[in-house]
Amino acid sequence: MDGRDATHTRRVEDGPNDPTTVWGRELDGTRAAGTPALADERLYVPADAVTPESRSFNRLYALGARTGETYWWAPLRIDLNGPPAVVGDRILVSGKRSLERGRVVCFGSRYGEEEWLYDIDARLTAPPTVAGGVAYVPDWTGTVHALWVADGSVLWSRRIQDSVDQGNTTFTTPAAVDGDTLYVGSNSGVTGIVALRTDDGGEQWRAETNPVTGGPVVHDDLLLIQSYGLVVAYGTDGERRWGFNLLNGGHQPMAVDDGHVYAASPEILYAITHDGERSWTYERSDGRAGVPTVVDDSVLLRGEDRLTALSATTGEEQWSRSTEGVGDVVATPEALFVTGDGGRLLALGEP
């Protein structure tokens, strides 16, 4: 479990306390490593690589989580739009194959063999969300594609029309899945949030909002989105509950636990109660606040060249480590994994 479940809460139950570096390595011939995914003690790491024959292309690496050793790597024929999704013995990635065309690719986890691909005649900026053996992929034409992970066949595909029938619904962020309901948020028009049935794509309800730039995120009966600097909470029935303004806007992913919603503006992390009230804030004076991840009773912030742990209750700083780079944290009970500059990866664990 690395915090990337289908509800996008960015929360794990346990992790190292006050960790030190266990191993570090650089991926040869790469200029940047993307956010990895973790499953069965393997890290699946997307990377931007450079070779004498090609100015740039992407790779997918499989590394041992305990040592960082390379098991295999496979070339990618797309520009990735997010971390891989791992389901059993399959790894899914998605991204751009040309300016206005996307692709979903499935690899086998044992040797990195390409098992299937699915082409979409639309831009893709949201990685797939997987639940119940199905990958849900929203695109920029307002279409949601539901694909069976086993073979890439289409369970259903549905285009969502704008609420004012202008046809300009655009899905730019990942879908969230909770039980038998799929939630998507539109970045254009007034469509806002749409709740669909996972089995056939039938619409359950919609709530008109300003453009959705972050989320949806689901926690219990709370459904959260961001619209630039505004965090908005709905019930899972579509009823609006509250809104909370972030100073100077916010474009980082949110995290949620049983006590708070954590949302960041460029320099400030806000802890917001489930009733929409400010609980505490944490301000970085030396760079951006970063992306929050909840690990047990701490909130980890991966800011500029530094990983910091805060008390989830009070916001008090617990520990901090230099990590040389920016990006998400992949958290497990045994270790924290972060990427750095120039294709570098670090594993942090208990001393």
Side-chain angles (χ1 to χ4, degrees), residues 270-286:
Y270 295 84
I272 309 163
T273 69
H274 287 198
D275 294 326
E277 301 296 327
R278 180 187 300 195
S279 178
W280 54 261
T281 59
Y282 174 81
E283 186 169 358
R284 286 287 299 268
S285 59
D286 57 345

Side-chain angles (χ1 to χ4, degrees), residues 21-340:
T21 299
V22 176
W23 58 259
R25 64 159 296 184
E26 293 184 5
L27 301 177
D28 294 337
T30 66
R31 56 185 178 182
T35 300
L38 177 70
D40 298 327
E41 297 193 356
R42 286 195 180 189
L43 282 174
Y44 298 98
V45 187
D48 183 2
V50 179
T51 69
E53 293 79 20
S54 176
R55 183 185 65 82
S56 173
F57 72 100
N58 289 294
R59 295 175 181 173
L60 179 65
Y61 283 84
L63 309 180
R66 293 185 180 274
T67 63
E69 65 177 313
T70 300
Y71 290 126
W72 53 259
W73 67 265
L76 298 175
R77 293 174 285 165
I78 55 175
D79 292 329
L80 266 65
N81 57 20
V86 184
V87 188
D89 60 353
R90 289 174 170 82
I91 307 124
L92 272 65
V93 295
S94 66
K96 181 177 70 173
R97 59 189 172 100
S98 64
L99 183 60
E100 297 294 337
R101 291 180 173 87
R103 173 174 288 172
V104 183
V105 188
C106 177
F107 293 90
S109 63
R110 186 170 185 180
Y111 301 113
E113 67 279 13
E114 187 177 296
E115 296 200 347
W116 56 261
L117 59 83
Y118 178 79
D119 284 339
I120 296 172
D121 289 330
R123 188 182 305 181
L124 289 183
T125 57
T129 299
V130 179
V134 178
Y136 300 95
V137 185
D139 71 28
W140 274 51
T141 67
T143 301
V144 181
H145 309 261
L147 311 174
W148 286 109
V149 173
D151 58 9
S153 60
V154 179
L155 173 61
W156 52 264
S157 180
R158 176 179 172 82
R159 185 165 186 178
I160 310 299
Q161 293 294 330
D162 189 70
S163 296
V164 293
D165 200 27
Q166 294 178 350
N168 59 345
T169 300
T170 304
F171 298 131
T172 62
T173 59
V177 180
D178 184 36
D180 58 1
T181 304
L182 170 79
Y183 302 96
V184 288
S186 177
N187 189 254
S188 61
V190 294
T191 302
I193 308 169
V194 183
L196 307 173
R197 293 191 298 270
T198 55
D199 58 354
D200 61 5
E203 185 172 322
Q204 296 180 328
W205 55 261
R206 66 173 64 194
E208 295 183 1
T209 71
N210 291 326
V212 176
T213 58
V217 177
V218 186
H219 179 81
D220 293 336
D221 65 343
L222 202 63
L223 175 65
L224 299 148
I225 65 159
Q226 277 189 249
S227 181
Y228 302 104
L230 179 67
V231 177
V232 186
Y234 293 83
T236 50
D237 58 359
E239 181 181 356
R240 192 182 192 276
R241 295 187 177 179
W242 50 262
F244 186 95
N245 282 297
L246 307 179
L247 183 65
N248 297 327
H251 296 282
Q252 304 283 18
M254 294 177 286
V256 189
D257 62 15
D258 292 337
H260 297 108
V261 178
Y262 304 95
S265 69
E267 296 178 351
I268 303 173
L269 176 71
Y270 295 84
I272 309 163
T273 69
H274 287 198
D275 294 326
E277 301 296 327
R278 180 187 300 195
S279 178
W280 54 261
T281 59
Y282 174 81
E283 186 169 358
R284 286 287 299 268
S285 59
D286 57 345
R288 67 188 186 94
V291 179
T293 300
V294 179
V295 179
D296 192 15
D297 58 356
S298 299
V299 182
L300 303 185
L301 279 181
R302 180 74 194 284
E304 196 167 340
D305 295 330
R306 185 157 292 275
L307 177 63
T308 303
L310 308 175
S311 166
T313 304
T314 65
E316 181 181 359
E317 187 171 313
Q318 297 173 323
W319 53 262
S320 188
R321 296 286 179 274
S322 175
T323 54
E324 298 181 357
V326 296
D328 290 1
V329 178
V330 175
T332 71
E334 295 79 23
L336 308 173
F337 301 94
V338 295
T339 57

